[in-house]
Every structure is written in structure tokens, then in C-alpha cells.
Amino acid sequence: MKILIQKGWAYCLISAALLSCTTVDSVKPETTQVKNVIMIIGDGMGPQQVGLLLSYARQAPHSVIANRITALDRMMEQGRLGISMTYTADTLVTDSAASATQLATGKFAGAEMLGLDKDGNFQENIIEKARRMGKSTGLVSDTRITHATPAAFAAHQTHRSHENSIPEDLLATGADVMFSGGLSYWLPEQAGDKNSELHQQLVQMTGNGFEIKSSRNDTKNLLNIAQQQGYTLAFNKAQLQQATGKTLGLFADSGMENGIVETQNRGDALHVQPTLKEMSEQALEILGRNKQGFFLMIESGQIDWAAHRNDTGLLLHEMLRFNDTLNAVLDWAENRQDTLIIVTADHETGGFGFSYSGADIPKPHSLPGAAFADGTLFQPNFNFGNPEVLDKIYAQQLSYHDIFSRFDKLPKDRQTPLKLTELVNRYTEFKITEAQAIKILATEANPLYRAGHVSLGEKIVPKMEVNGAFFVYQKENRENLLAQAVSASQQVVWATGTHTSTPVFVFVKGEEQTMRLFAKILHHTQLGRLAIEALQ
Ligand code: MG
Ligand code: ZN
């Protein structure tokens, strides 16, 4: 009886609280309007990749993250968290084009299409809508501007691979700032000819910071068209930082530098290529001048590339680049009530995780607690992973891709398993043996390594295999195999070379009434619609 009364009483209290809460809401004196929406997409940044950043920040003995507080921790001090499903209209798993289309239009899309709904109808994207409202718009990515994610916010194409047509769509949509890599998709075929006047001109214009070539199969010079449309061009950090208005910034021939290279050059004022953070800061500086507000999409796009390759060290540096960029955005928006920041991913890549194993099980050891006072030793059954591995992951000096590029540049007769062993062991903390290198190279076209089986002296070593169905990028298989070779010592597993359907996080920070709408289990089409509605 007593319990029942207490229950009833508590219920009344809750009802009263709800009632008073509703009353407070209805007489809320002022609702600040959202003027600016900044959407930050970590491509491939599923909960697992966020987890790597958080593990590193909190547990690495020598974490480089100040006070071990990530930008996501900062965001969640006043932010809200939702989760979102990323599937397309008719598939379980999405690619970046469909996912970003769903975010940009709020409509279900088909895999690998840009700016179209599932049936192939043109759909207005958030940049086009924002422009109609008189707002400024921007796209920033550390991949290339014609790549799936930025393209989905401004182009309409039946396939993401139409990178010759995407620049023209980008110009037609006319975002005020576009900062990324991918210059080669804007240059006519003849630009690649080192003797041509155009080539010389471009070398001058770009400050000779990177290779000038063309990825086009026609003679269109889209830089000229961009200039006719009022864009100022920027090709390096100095030019970026002078930009004040409508600017097309193309800072690499194709993809921009990777996260490890960025870490190594962070803080170098003379470094030619701007960082994702620097591009984002300049975009905010320019777009923030519009009193009507703006929409800005920032992509930390190489998280996905690192994860496709199962390159854990590179992945960590990509997450640090994301963290740096988000910190800068939070600094810019500090004390602003008119700006909504949305951080999400288009999907998870790689099925990454730290995992406990039966390898290198720690030895039985004594513990100081009372339960062990009689001298009983604590005996673990498994190896749950030592946080010191996080510092070793951070210490990687070259991406797997760059290690293999160096390997490929050697004369053919020096491309031996021993040489690969030396390279891996020089640039990473996770050492491999020559026998492992033989297995990694067993799939190569190089006749030194016969497919099927390879010989190591007298012994026949079976080749190491990736699960072909899910490791679809053959050129990257050697990197996937290297990841498998160091898996136990890294304490890391990778499930796939492609994407997974794992729901992704949605971090939001901004005006309370708007922000709370995102704190749900969403689908990316809903998330896209909420972003569009927030702008209106
Ligand atoms: Mg992308
Ligand atoms: Zn991907």
C-alpha cells in the first residue's frame, strides 16, 4: 500500500514537471533564428572511427590532444546527439554519392547517383535552396571538389564517375566558395603538355606547388569559365588567405595531402597546400559576411580512404585532421546563437575495431587489492589490448599507400619482399617479417611472386588472401593484406574493404529548439530535411 502511494505521488510530480516545462516553453520570450548551417561530414566516420579518436584522446599515454578533450567532447557540452541510418532507397548499404545526395536533398536516392532521387529525377539540393533564400553557400573538402560528397551537394549526374561533367554542374549551381583538390578536372587536355604555353602559365599561377595535368577528355578550360562567372582563383595557401569573395580554390591536381602528411606540416606557415582547417576558416570568413546567412558543407573526406585501405595509422591522423577542423568551426561559432553545426558521417567504412585476442596474453601478475592479498596471481584469459598501442599507431610516418608507392618506384629487381619488410619496418611501429611480406606480395602481377603459392627458400608459403567479395579495389589489396599482417600486434580488426550499414552519429550544436529535433533515431533523408528546414 505504502509503495503504491509513493508511486502515485512520484507520478504527480512528474506530471507537474512536464506541465511546468510545457508552460515555460509556450511563453519562451525569444526564439533565436538559425541563420547559418554548417554541416561537417566525416566520410566513413562511423561510431568506430569516432571511437578511435576518443580512445586515442583519453587513453594514449602521449595523446597530442590538448587536455584530452576532443572537438566532439566540446560540442557535446551543450550539444545534442542523434543517430542516423544511411541506407538508400533500395539497398542495405550506401555509397558516398547516394548518402550525400540524401543529406543534400532530403530525398531517397539510388546508390552512386548524384543529386537525383531513386528514379533518377532531378532534386533541388540545399545549396540551390539556400541561394534562392539569398544566403551564401560553400563547399570544402580535403578530397577533390568533383568527388562524390561535395558533388552531391551541387551536381546532378546519373553516376558519380562523371567527373568531366561535374565541374560544369558546380559552376551552374554557383556556390560562393569551393575549396578542395581536383584541378586536373578543370583543365583542358593540352594543359598536360609541358611545352604548351598554358602549362607554363598554370605552373606560374599555382606557384609550382603541385603537378599540372589534365583529367579531362576535351579541350574545355573551365577555369576561364569560372573567372567569367566572377570567381577568383586560388591554388595555394597564400592565395587562399587573401580570398575575400567568390572563390574557387583548387589546391591539388587530384586528392589533397593525406592526414599523416598534414600532421607533419601542421603549423608550417610556408607549406604550400592549405589544411582542411585553414580552408574551413577562410570559407567561414568569406561566407560570414552575408547578413542573410549561409550554408557550408565541410568534408573530412579521407577518413573513408584510410578505412578502405584498412590503414589504422592513417585513419587516426585523418580523425585528428577532422578534430582540428571541428575545433576551428566551434571557435568561430563560439557564443553565436544564429549558427547550427551538424556533424555526421555518410556511412561507416571498413568495419574497424579494436578487439581482444588470444595473442600475447599478459602473464599472470599480482594485484594490490584485498582479494589478491593471499598472493593469488591475476590470470587473464585473453589480451584485451594495451593503450600503449595507440601511441604506436600515431607514430606511423607514411601511409600504406605511400609505402607501396616507394616500393613501386624501386627498379623491378629490387622490389623484393625483403625490401618491403624494410620499408614497412622503417615507417611504422608494427614490424613484419620477410615471410609476411612474401604473403602480402603474393597477389601481385610482379612475376617474382607467383600467384597461388610463393616460395621462401625451400618452404612453400600459401598466399595470404582477402575475402574477395568485400575487398573490391584490387590495387588496394596489398594494403588490406598488410593490415591483416599487423592485425594482432595492432589489436585491430577490419571486416571489409568497403562500407557497412552501421548507423552513424549526428552531433548538433546551436539554438535549443532546433537542436532538439535532431536528438532521435533518424534516417539521412530526415536529417537532410531537418537541415533544410533549419535554414528556412
Ligand atoms: Mg567523400
Ligand atoms: Zn568509401
Side-chain angles (χ1 to χ4, degrees):
M1 189 65 182
K2 196 180 168 195
I3 291 165
L4 276 178
I5 289 166
Q6 276 185 344
K7 268 189 181 169
W9 185 60
Y11 176 76
C12 288
L13 262 186
I14 289 164
S15 298
L18 283 177
L19 207 69
S20 67
C21 186
T22 312
T23 315
V24 168
D25 277 353
S26 59
V27 295
K28 200 172 190 290
E30 49 177 335
T31 311
T32 326
Q33 235 193 322
V34 173
K35 209 170 70 173
N36 314 313
V37 172
I38 305 169
M39 183 180 280
I40 302 167
I41 299 176
D43 195 318
M45 190 183 72
Q48 298 95 309
Q49 287 72 18
V50 171
L52 172 63
L53 177 68
L54 295 177
S55 293
Y56 176 77
R58 292 167 188 223
Q59 290 190 281
H62 301 96
S63 164
V64 298
I65 294 176
N67 303 316
R68 300 185 179 274
I69 297 170
T70 68
L72 292 169
D73 290 301
R74 272 181 75 190
M75 215 171 148
M76 288 311 295
E77 277 167 25
Q78 288 130 35
R80 295 287 184 110
L81 183 66
I83 68 169
S84 190
M85 297 295 288
T86 62
Y87 54 82
T88 74
D90 47 16
T91 64
L92 284 169
V93 186
T94 188
D95 80 309
S96 295
S99 191
T101 297
Q102 294 183 153
L103 288 172
T105 65
K107 300 274 168 53
F108 271 98
E112 301 180 87
M113 289 188 240
L114 293 171
L116 308 177
D117 69 16
K118 63 184 173 62
D119 298 320
N121 299 303
F122 293 96
Q123 293 296 330
E124 194 180 41
N125 57 53
I126 190 166
I127 291 211
E128 290 157 342
K129 285 191 199 325
R131 281 176 59 78
R132 277 202 288 108
M133 290 174 224
K135 291 178 187 287
S136 295
T137 54
L139 291 171
V140 173
S141 171
D142 59 7
T143 63
R144 56 179 181 266
I145 199 73
T146 50
H147 208 257
T149 311
F153 279 81
H156 304 275
Q157 290 290 331
T158 53
H159 199 274
R160 55 185 285 173
S161 61
H162 298 167
E163 289 192 61
N164 268 243
S165 307
I166 289 168
E168 292 173 84
D169 280 15
L170 297 179
L171 288 175
T173 300
D176 300 279
V177 302
M178 294 190 268
F179 297 154
S180 189
L183 174 63
S184 63
Y185 293 89
W186 299 70
L187 300 179
E189 277 174 330
Q190 61 269 30
D193 175 3
K194 288 193 167 55
N195 299 315
S196 69
E197 202 181 316
L198 178 64
H199 186 91
Q200 302 299 329
Q201 240 177 24
L202 286 160
V203 169
Q204 287 266 310
M205 280 165 75
T206 55
N208 204 12
F210 53 90
E211 201 188 339
I212 302 297
K213 56 186 188 197
S214 168
S215 300
R216 295 195 67 77
N217 46 28
D218 60 26
T219 56
K220 285 184 190 166
N221 185 339
L222 295 175
L223 292 185
N224 287 345
I225 299 173
Q227 281 181 306
Q228 283 157 22
Q229 290 189 12
Y231 282 97
T232 300
L233 303 177
F235 302 103
N236 54 46
K237 178 152 60 180
Q239 291 167 355
L240 169 75
Q241 291 175 339
Q242 282 155 19
T244 52
K246 200 168 168 180
T247 308
L248 174 63
L250 298 166
F251 306 106
D253 63 309
S254 182
M256 295 184 72
E257 287 165 349
N258 72 46
I260 291 178
V261 175
E262 188 172 304
T263 296
Q264 287 160 350
N265 292 297
R266 194 168 288 145
D268 175 2
L270 297 177
H271 193 65
V272 177
Q273 191 179 105
T275 62
L276 184 63
K277 174 188 167 197
E278 288 161 347
M279 292 190 292
S280 304
E281 286 174 330
Q282 199 64 28
L284 289 168
E285 159 73 24
I286 295 170
L287 302 179
R289 296 174 185 196
N290 186 341
K291 291 205 163 48
Q292 314 250 49
F294 64 84
F295 171 78
L296 171 63
M297 192 289 294
I298 300 169
E299 184 198 21
S300 197
Q302 296 196 36
I303 296 167
D304 176 70
W305 295 2
H308 276 288
R309 300 185 144 118
N310 304 166
D311 185 341
T312 311
L314 179 59
L315 174 62
L316 175 59
H317 287 273
E318 295 301 341
M319 289 305 301
L320 292 170
R321 156 150 72 182
F322 157 82
N323 188 59
D324 240 38
T325 304
L326 179 57
N327 266 325
V329 172
L330 292 173
D331 289 344
W332 183 88
E334 189 93 57
N335 303 321
R336 295 188 77 120
Q337 287 299 308
D338 61 356
T339 302
L340 183 73
I341 303 170
I342 305 167
V343 176
T344 192
D346 50 356
H347 51 73
E348 192 274 342
T349 304
F352 166 84
F354 287 110
S355 188
Y356 72 78
S357 78
D360 303 318
I361 299 167
K363 301 230 158 23
H365 51 277
S366 57
L367 284 170
F372 293 91
D374 63 354
T376 305
L377 296 179
F378 174 62
Q379 168 116 44
N381 278 348
F382 300 108
N383 175 4
F384 284 82
N386 186 328
E388 283 171 9
V389 83
L390 292 160
D391 281 342
K392 290 169 74 178
I393 289 170
Y394 177 85
Q396 188 171 320
Q397 294 292 310
L398 273 185
S399 69
Y400 289 179
H401 181 73
D402 287 347
I403 287 174
F404 279 105
S405 295
R406 291 201 185 189
F407 181 78
D408 290 340
K409 284 198 185 103
L410 294 167
K412 272 275 179 266
D413 63 337
R414 290 191 57 212
Q415 293 179 22
T416 62
L418 188 62
K419 194 70 206 169
L420 179 66
T421 310
E422 280 173 28
L423 285 169
V424 170
N425 295 354
R426 186 182 315 157
Y427 294 111
T428 81
E429 296 295 310
F430 301 96
K431 311 301 176 199
I432 60 166
T433 62
E434 189 183 3
Q436 285 177 309
I438 287 177
K439 288 186 187 176
I440 292 165
L441 291 168
T443 54
E444 304 288 308
N446 188 330
L448 280 176
Y449 326 110
R450 281 180 290 117
H453 289 83
V454 285
S455 64
L456 172 64
E458 293 299 292
K459 272 192 287 179
I460 298 292
V461 184
K463 76 170 184 182
M464 204 158 148
E465 288 204 56
V466 290
N467 182 349
F470 297 101
F471 291 84
V472 298
Y473 302 102
Q474 256 182 31
K475 276 192 272 179
E476 294 174 7
N477 281 356
R478 48 195 354 209
E479 299 171 52
N480 302 132
L481 289 169
L482 173 54
Q484 282 184 22
V486 300
S487 177
S489 54
Q490 277 194 339
Q491 206 79 35
V492 159
V493 291
W494 289 96
T496 179
T498 70
H499 305 164
T500 71
S501 66
T502 311
V504 298
F505 289 136
V506 183
F507 300 90
V508 279
K509 185 167 186 250
E511 191 269 321
E512 176 63 30
Q513 300 301 316
T514 311
M515 187 166 71
R516 63 200 292 176
L517 303 172
F518 293 77
K520 290 194 179 82
I521 299 178
L522 299 161
H523 181 267
H524 263 20
T525 50
Q526 287 171 285
L527 178 52
R529 289 199 295 277
L530 286 172
I532 290 164
E533 282 160 19
L535 265 186
Q536 286 163 349

